[in-house]
Amino acid sequence: MDGQQMASRNTHHNIFDIFSSAVASWSGKPVAFVAAVALIVIWGVTGPFFGFSETWQLVVNTGTTIITFLMVFVLQNSQNRDGEAVQAKLDELILSSQAANEFIGIEKLDEEQLRKLSVSLQRRAKALDQEAQNV
């Protein structure tokens, strides 16, 4: 089954994928930033009414901590799916081009193997550049 068939057949997603995509999309918009600033301003303005008490401070500390903690998982899910999609697209381009198929799946190499591969590719690029300049 090719990628296009897979994309068209896999139209259902699990609830968390749908939720994380929606939250990631919404949280990256200016309106989300404005809403967050508005909430902090409202919290700050209410300080004198609550005597800048520890409870008043705890409200914002607890709220921001919970939101941050949950956003880590939501955004990581969205980023993982985006990364996998980009990798699949790159693999398809490699397979459909004259590029070396040995690069399929290199994202699974460890850091040392990736570093060695990067150095090797840099050498090849310099050699090709020198070859092009000599022509």
Side-chain angles (χ1 to χ4, degrees), residues 101-126:
N101 287 345
E102 66 194 56
F103 292 105
I104 300 290
I106 65 169
E107 69 278 3
K108 294 179 179 95
L109 297 177
D110 66 29
E111 193 172 330
E112 179 65 21
Q113 291 170 316
L114 284 173
R115 189 188 61 72
K116 286 179 182 177
L117 182 60
S118 179
V119 168
S120 171
L121 289 170
Q122 287 173 3
R123 285 189 195 127
R124 282 177 51 191
K126 284 181 184 178

PDB file of all heavy atoms in Angstrom, residues 101-126:
ATOM      1  N   ASN A 101      19.671   4.634  -0.971  1.00  0.00           N
ATOM      2  CA  ASN A 101      18.636   4.113  -0.086  1.00  0.00           C
ATOM      3  C   ASN A 101      19.163   3.789   1.311  1.00  0.00           C
ATOM      4  O   ASN A 101      18.387   3.553   2.222  1.00  0.00           O
ATOM      5  CB  ASN A 101      17.978   2.868  -0.695  1.00  0.00           C
ATOM      6  CG  ASN A 101      17.084   3.205  -1.854  1.00  0.00           C
ATOM      7  OD1 ASN A 101      16.722   4.352  -2.056  1.00  0.00           O
ATOM      8  ND2 ASN A 101      16.730   2.201  -2.631  1.00  0.00           N
ATOM      9  N   GLU A 102      20.471   3.787   1.489  1.00  0.00           N
ATOM     10  CA  GLU A 102      21.056   3.506   2.801  1.00  0.00           C
ATOM     11  C   GLU A 102      20.669   4.566   3.835  1.00  0.00           C
ATOM     12  O   GLU A 102      20.817   4.350   5.024  1.00  0.00           O
ATOM     13  CB  GLU A 102      22.580   3.425   2.702  1.00  0.00           C
ATOM     14  CG  GLU A 102      23.218   4.763   2.345  1.00  0.00           C
ATOM     15  CD  GLU A 102      24.671   4.652   1.921  1.00  0.00           C
ATOM     16  OE1 GLU A 102      24.957   3.894   0.984  1.00  0.00           O
ATOM     17  OE2 GLU A 102      25.500   5.340   2.544  1.00  0.00           O
ATOM     18  N   PHE A 103      20.159   5.702   3.382  1.00  0.00           N
ATOM     19  CA  PHE A 103      19.777   6.765   4.318  1.00  0.00           C
ATOM     20  C   PHE A 103      18.385   6.570   4.898  1.00  0.00           C
ATOM     21  O   PHE A 103      18.005   7.267   5.836  1.00  0.00           O
ATOM     22  CB  PHE A 103      19.880   8.140   3.646  1.00  0.00           C
ATOM     23  CG  PHE A 103      21.303   8.512   3.341  1.00  0.00           C
ATOM     24  CD1 PHE A 103      21.779   8.445   2.050  1.00  0.00           C
ATOM     25  CD2 PHE A 103      22.154   8.894   4.355  1.00  0.00           C
ATOM     26  CE1 PHE A 103      23.091   8.766   1.779  1.00  0.00           C
ATOM     27  CE2 PHE A 103      23.467   9.219   4.088  1.00  0.00           C
ATOM     28  CZ  PHE A 103      23.945   9.144   2.799  1.00  0.00           C
ATOM     29  N   ILE A 104      17.645   5.608   4.379  1.00  0.00           N
ATOM     30  CA  ILE A 104      16.335   5.300   4.947  1.00  0.00           C
ATOM     31  C   ILE A 104      16.530   4.771   6.363  1.00  0.00           C
ATOM     32  O   ILE A 104      17.301   3.845   6.586  1.00  0.00           O
ATOM     33  CB  ILE A 104      15.586   4.249   4.097  1.00  0.00           C
ATOM     34  CG1 ILE A 104      15.374   4.739   2.678  1.00  0.00           C
ATOM     35  CG2 ILE A 104      14.275   3.839   4.764  1.00  0.00           C
ATOM     36  CD1 ILE A 104      14.386   5.850   2.541  1.00  0.00           C
ATOM     37  N   GLY A 105      15.867   5.378   7.325  1.00  0.00           N
ATOM     38  CA  GLY A 105      15.914   4.902   8.708  1.00  0.00           C
ATOM     39  C   GLY A 105      17.097   5.382   9.525  1.00  0.00           C
ATOM     40  O   GLY A 105      17.290   4.920  10.651  1.00  0.00           O
ATOM     41  N   ILE A 106      17.890   6.335   9.020  1.00  0.00           N
ATOM     42  CA  ILE A 106      19.060   6.770   9.787  1.00  0.00           C
ATOM     43  C   ILE A 106      18.686   7.515  11.054  1.00  0.00           C
ATOM     44  O   ILE A 106      19.508   7.655  11.955  1.00  0.00           O
ATOM     45  CB  ILE A 106      20.039   7.628   8.947  1.00  0.00           C
ATOM     46  CG1 ILE A 106      19.401   8.947   8.528  1.00  0.00           C
ATOM     47  CG2 ILE A 106      20.579   6.852   7.787  1.00  0.00           C
ATOM     48  CD1 ILE A 106      20.378   9.928   7.938  1.00  0.00           C
ATOM     49  N   GLU A 107      17.420   7.952  11.174  1.00  0.00           N
ATOM     50  CA  GLU A 107      17.004   8.635  12.391  1.00  0.00           C
ATOM     51  C   GLU A 107      17.056   7.711  13.607  1.00  0.00           C
ATOM     52  O   GLU A 107      17.027   8.169  14.737  1.00  0.00           O
ATOM     53  CB  GLU A 107      15.601   9.236  12.232  1.00  0.00           C
ATOM     54  CG  GLU A 107      14.482   8.225  12.152  1.00  0.00           C
ATOM     55  CD  GLU A 107      14.278   7.616  10.764  1.00  0.00           C
ATOM     56  OE1 GLU A 107      15.037   7.922   9.830  1.00  0.00           O
ATOM     57  OE2 GLU A 107      13.343   6.817  10.626  1.00  0.00           O
ATOM     58  N   LYS A 108      17.182   6.414  13.360  1.00  0.00           N
ATOM     59  CA  LYS A 108      17.247   5.448  14.459  1.00  0.00           C
ATOM     60  C   LYS A 108      18.688   5.159  14.895  1.00  0.00           C
ATOM     61  O   LYS A 108      18.902   4.414  15.850  1.00  0.00           O
ATOM     62  CB  LYS A 108      16.552   4.161  14.050  1.00  0.00           C
ATOM     63  CG  LYS A 108      15.055   4.354  13.849  1.00  0.00           C
ATOM     64  CD  LYS A 108      14.373   3.081  13.428  1.00  0.00           C
ATOM     65  CE  LYS A 108      12.893   3.307  13.271  1.00  0.00           C
ATOM     66  NZ  LYS A 108      12.480   3.593  11.925  1.00  0.00           N
ATOM     67  N   LEU A 109      19.674   5.734  14.207  1.00  0.00           N
ATOM     68  CA  LEU A 109      21.068   5.536  14.594  1.00  0.00           C
ATOM     69  C   LEU A 109      21.352   6.258  15.903  1.00  0.00           C
ATOM     70  O   LEU A 109      20.682   7.228  16.252  1.00  0.00           O
ATOM     71  CB  LEU A 109      22.011   6.084  13.500  1.00  0.00           C
ATOM     72  CG  LEU A 109      21.938   5.420  12.123  1.00  0.00           C
ATOM     73  CD1 LEU A 109      22.871   6.133  11.158  1.00  0.00           C
ATOM     74  CD2 LEU A 109      22.282   3.943  12.219  1.00  0.00           C
ATOM     75  N   ASP A 110      22.390   5.778  16.605  1.00  0.00           N
ATOM     76  CA  ASP A 110      22.761   6.483  17.830  1.00  0.00           C
ATOM     77  C   ASP A 110      23.565   7.736  17.485  1.00  0.00           C
ATOM     78  O   ASP A 110      23.907   7.979  16.327  1.00  0.00           O
ATOM     79  CB  ASP A 110      23.507   5.570  18.812  1.00  0.00           C
ATOM     80  CG  ASP A 110      24.878   5.117  18.306  1.00  0.00           C
ATOM     81  OD1 ASP A 110      25.520   5.845  17.529  1.00  0.00           O
ATOM     82  OD2 ASP A 110      25.312   4.017  18.715  1.00  0.00           O
ATOM     83  N   GLU A 111      23.843   8.546  18.485  1.00  0.00           N
ATOM     84  CA  GLU A 111      24.478   9.852  18.271  1.00  0.00           C
ATOM     85  C   GLU A 111      25.848   9.731  17.601  1.00  0.00           C
ATOM     86  O   GLU A 111      26.178  10.500  16.701  1.00  0.00           O
ATOM     87  CB  GLU A 111      24.607  10.565  19.622  1.00  0.00           C
ATOM     88  CG  GLU A 111      24.945  12.021  19.493  1.00  0.00           C
ATOM     89  CD  GLU A 111      24.885  12.734  20.829  1.00  0.00           C
ATOM     90  OE1 GLU A 111      24.106  12.340  21.709  1.00  0.00           O
ATOM     91  OE2 GLU A 111      25.638  13.711  20.975  1.00  0.00           O
ATOM     92  N   GLU A 112      26.626   8.756  18.017  1.00  0.00           N
ATOM     93  CA  GLU A 112      27.969   8.576  17.444  1.00  0.00           C
ATOM     94  C   GLU A 112      27.883   8.181  15.974  1.00  0.00           C
ATOM     95  O   GLU A 112      28.621   8.703  15.134  1.00  0.00           O
ATOM     96  CB  GLU A 112      28.741   7.520  18.250  1.00  0.00           C
ATOM     97  CG  GLU A 112      30.134   7.243  17.733  1.00  0.00           C
ATOM     98  CD  GLU A 112      31.093   8.425  17.837  1.00  0.00           C
ATOM     99  OE1 GLU A 112      30.839   9.332  18.649  1.00  0.00           O
ATOM    100  OE2 GLU A 112      32.083   8.443  17.087  1.00  0.00           O
ATOM    101  N   GLN A 113      26.969   7.284  15.641  1.00  0.00           N
ATOM    102  CA  GLN A 113      26.808   6.866  14.252  1.00  0.00           C
ATOM    103  C   GLN A 113      26.338   8.032  13.381  1.00  0.00           C
ATOM    104  O   GLN A 113      26.810   8.200  12.256  1.00  0.00           O
ATOM    105  CB  GLN A 113      25.807   5.710  14.166  1.00  0.00           C
ATOM    106  CG  GLN A 113      26.304   4.415  14.775  1.00  0.00           C
ATOM    107  CD  GLN A 113      25.205   3.377  14.885  1.00  0.00           C
ATOM    108  OE1 GLN A 113      24.090   3.697  15.284  1.00  0.00           O
ATOM    109  NE2 GLN A 113      25.523   2.130  14.532  1.00  0.00           N
ATOM    110  N   LEU A 114      25.426   8.848  13.909  1.00  0.00           N
ATOM    111  CA  LEU A 114      24.964  10.022  13.160  1.00  0.00           C
ATOM    112  C   LEU A 114      26.092  11.028  12.956  1.00  0.00           C
ATOM    113  O   LEU A 114      26.200  11.636  11.891  1.00  0.00           O
ATOM    114  CB  LEU A 114      23.786  10.679  13.877  1.00  0.00           C
ATOM    115  CG  LEU A 114      22.442   9.974  13.744  1.00  0.00           C
ATOM    116  CD1 LEU A 114      21.416  10.627  14.647  1.00  0.00           C
ATOM    117  CD2 LEU A 114      21.969   9.972  12.307  1.00  0.00           C
ATOM    118  N   ARG A 115      26.928  11.210  13.975  1.00  0.00           N
ATOM    119  CA  ARG A 115      28.051  12.135  13.848  1.00  0.00           C
ATOM    120  C   ARG A 115      29.012  11.664  12.755  1.00  0.00           C
ATOM    121  O   ARG A 115      29.450  12.442  11.917  1.00  0.00           O
ATOM    122  CB  ARG A 115      28.785  12.280  15.183  1.00  0.00           C
ATOM    123  CG  ARG A 115      29.838  13.402  15.166  1.00  0.00           C
ATOM    124  CD  ARG A 115      30.694  13.410  16.415  1.00  0.00           C
ATOM    125  NE  ARG A 115      31.460  12.191  16.610  1.00  0.00           N
ATOM    126  CZ  ARG A 115      32.524  11.823  15.879  1.00  0.00           C
ATOM    127  NH1 ARG A 115      32.932  12.572  14.884  1.00  0.00           N
ATOM    128  NH2 ARG A 115      33.164  10.698  16.131  1.00  0.00           N
ATOM    129  N   LYS A 116      29.338  10.373  12.756  1.00  0.00           N
ATOM    130  CA  LYS A 116      30.241   9.817  11.736  1.00  0.00           C
ATOM    131  C   LYS A 116      29.642   9.978  10.338  1.00  0.00           C
ATOM    132  O   LYS A 116      30.339  10.337   9.395  1.00  0.00           O
ATOM    133  CB  LYS A 116      30.530   8.342  12.022  1.00  0.00           C
ATOM    134  CG  LYS A 116      31.460   8.117  13.182  1.00  0.00           C
ATOM    135  CD  LYS A 116      31.687   6.634  13.412  1.00  0.00           C
ATOM    136  CE  LYS A 116      32.595   6.418  14.612  1.00  0.00           C
ATOM    137  NZ  LYS A 116      32.782   4.984  14.901  1.00  0.00           N
ATOM    138  N   LEU A 117      28.344   9.726  10.219  1.00  0.00           N
ATOM    139  CA  LEU A 117      27.671   9.877   8.935  1.00  0.00           C
ATOM    140  C   LEU A 117      27.704  11.332   8.482  1.00  0.00           C
ATOM    141  O   LEU A 117      27.953  11.627   7.312  1.00  0.00           O
ATOM    142  CB  LEU A 117      26.232   9.373   9.034  1.00  0.00           C
ATOM    143  CG  LEU A 117      25.408   9.420   7.757  1.00  0.00           C
ATOM    144  CD1 LEU A 117      26.034   8.578   6.662  1.00  0.00           C
ATOM    145  CD2 LEU A 117      23.993   8.947   8.038  1.00  0.00           C
ATOM    146  N   SER A 118      27.486  12.243   9.409  1.00  0.00           N
ATOM    147  CA  SER A 118      27.512  13.669   9.084  1.00  0.00           C
ATOM    148  C   SER A 118      28.893  14.091   8.596  1.00  0.00           C
ATOM    149  O   SER A 118      29.019  14.821   7.606  1.00  0.00           O
ATOM    150  CB  SER A 118      27.112  14.484  10.310  1.00  0.00           C
ATOM    151  OG  SER A 118      27.152  15.850  10.023  1.00  0.00           O
ATOM    152  N   VAL A 119      29.939  13.635   9.269  1.00  0.00           N
ATOM    153  CA  VAL A 119      31.310  13.954   8.857  1.00  0.00           C
ATOM    154  C   VAL A 119      31.573  13.398   7.464  1.00  0.00           C
ATOM    155  O   VAL A 119      32.153  14.073   6.603  1.00  0.00           O
ATOM    156  CB  VAL A 119      32.331  13.421   9.893  1.00  0.00           C
ATOM    157  CG1 VAL A 119      33.747  13.480   9.355  1.00  0.00           C
ATOM    158  CG2 VAL A 119      32.218  14.188  11.196  1.00  0.00           C
ATOM    159  N   SER A 120      31.138  12.168   7.218  1.00  0.00           N
ATOM    160  CA  SER A 120      31.318  11.542   5.909  1.00  0.00           C
ATOM    161  C   SER A 120      30.608  12.330   4.815  1.00  0.00           C
ATOM    162  O   SER A 120      31.164  12.563   3.730  1.00  0.00           O
ATOM    163  CB  SER A 120      30.793  10.108   5.954  1.00  0.00           C
ATOM    164  OG  SER A 120      30.765   9.538   4.681  1.00  0.00           O
ATOM    165  N   LEU A 121      29.377  12.771   5.104  1.00  0.00           N
ATOM    166  CA  LEU A 121      28.621  13.546   4.115  1.00  0.00           C
ATOM    167  C   LEU A 121      29.265  14.904   3.862  1.00  0.00           C
ATOM    168  O   LEU A 121      29.265  15.399   2.730  1.00  0.00           O
ATOM    169  CB  LEU A 121      27.175  13.706   4.571  1.00  0.00           C
ATOM    170  CG  LEU A 121      26.324  12.438   4.523  1.00  0.00           C
ATOM    171  CD1 LEU A 121      25.002  12.658   5.210  1.00  0.00           C
ATOM    172  CD2 LEU A 121      26.137  11.972   3.097  1.00  0.00           C
ATOM    173  N   GLN A 122      29.815  15.516   4.909  1.00  0.00           N
ATOM    174  CA  GLN A 122      30.502  16.795   4.735  1.00  0.00           C
ATOM    175  C   GLN A 122      31.721  16.621   3.832  1.00  0.00           C
ATOM    176  O   GLN A 122      31.991  17.464   2.968  1.00  0.00           O
ATOM    177  CB  GLN A 122      30.919  17.370   6.090  1.00  0.00           C
ATOM    178  CG  GLN A 122      29.759  17.900   6.889  1.00  0.00           C
ATOM    179  CD  GLN A 122      30.162  18.318   8.298  1.00  0.00           C
ATOM    180  OE1 GLN A 122      31.333  18.261   8.678  1.00  0.00           O
ATOM    181  NE2 GLN A 122      29.184  18.727   9.087  1.00  0.00           N
ATOM    182  N   ARG A 123      32.449  15.532   4.013  1.00  0.00           N
ATOM    183  CA  ARG A 123      33.604  15.244   3.141  1.00  0.00           C
ATOM    184  C   ARG A 123      33.160  15.062   1.696  1.00  0.00           C
ATOM    185  O   ARG A 123      33.794  15.582   0.774  1.00  0.00           O
ATOM    186  CB  ARG A 123      34.340  13.995   3.627  1.00  0.00           C
ATOM    187  CG  ARG A 123      35.166  14.213   4.843  1.00  0.00           C
ATOM    188  CD  ARG A 123      36.044  12.992   5.126  1.00  0.00           C
ATOM    189  NE  ARG A 123      36.556  13.075   6.469  1.00  0.00           N
ATOM    190  CZ  ARG A 123      36.450  12.127   7.387  1.00  0.00           C
ATOM    191  NH1 ARG A 123      35.865  10.980   7.093  1.00  0.00           N
ATOM    192  NH2 ARG A 123      36.920  12.287   8.593  1.00  0.00           N
ATOM    193  N   ARG A 124      32.084  14.299   1.496  1.00  0.00           N
ATOM    194  CA  ARG A 124      31.568  14.092   0.137  1.00  0.00           C
ATOM    195  C   ARG A 124      31.128  15.409  -0.487  1.00  0.00           C
ATOM    196  O   ARG A 124      31.370  15.659  -1.672  1.00  0.00           O
ATOM    197  CB  ARG A 124      30.405  13.103   0.154  1.00  0.00           C
ATOM    198  CG  ARG A 124      30.855  11.665   0.274  1.00  0.00           C
ATOM    199  CD  ARG A 124      29.727  10.667   0.367  1.00  0.00           C
ATOM    200  NE  ARG A 124      28.710  10.777  -0.658  1.00  0.00           N
ATOM    201  CZ  ARG A 124      27.554  10.135  -0.613  1.00  0.00           C
ATOM    202  NH1 ARG A 124      27.271   9.350   0.403  1.00  0.00           N
ATOM    203  NH2 ARG A 124      26.670  10.274  -1.575  1.00  0.00           N
ATOM    204  N   ALA A 125      30.487  16.265   0.300  1.00  0.00           N
ATOM    205  CA  ALA A 125      30.030  17.558  -0.213  1.00  0.00           C
ATOM    206  C   ALA A 125      31.225  18.422  -0.628  1.00  0.00           C
ATOM    207  O   ALA A 125      31.191  19.077  -1.674  1.00  0.00           O
ATOM    208  CB  ALA A 125      29.188  18.272   0.842  1.00  0.00           C
ATOM    209  N   LYS A 126      32.262  18.445   0.197  1.00  0.00           N
ATOM    210  CA  LYS A 126      33.467  19.224  -0.145  1.00  0.00           C
ATOM    211  C   LYS A 126      34.117  18.675  -1.406  1.00  0.00           C
ATOM    212  O   LYS A 126      34.556  19.441  -2.272  1.00  0.00           O
ATOM    213  CB  LYS A 126      34.466  19.201   1.011  1.00  0.00           C
ATOM    214  CG  LYS A 126      34.073  20.096   2.151  1.00  0.00           C
ATOM    215  CD  LYS A 126      35.120  20.056   3.261  1.00  0.00           C
ATOM    216  CE  LYS A 126      34.669  20.876   4.451  1.00  0.00           C
ATOM    217  NZ  LYS A 126      35.639  20.812   5.556  1.00  0.00           N
TER     218      LYS A 126
END
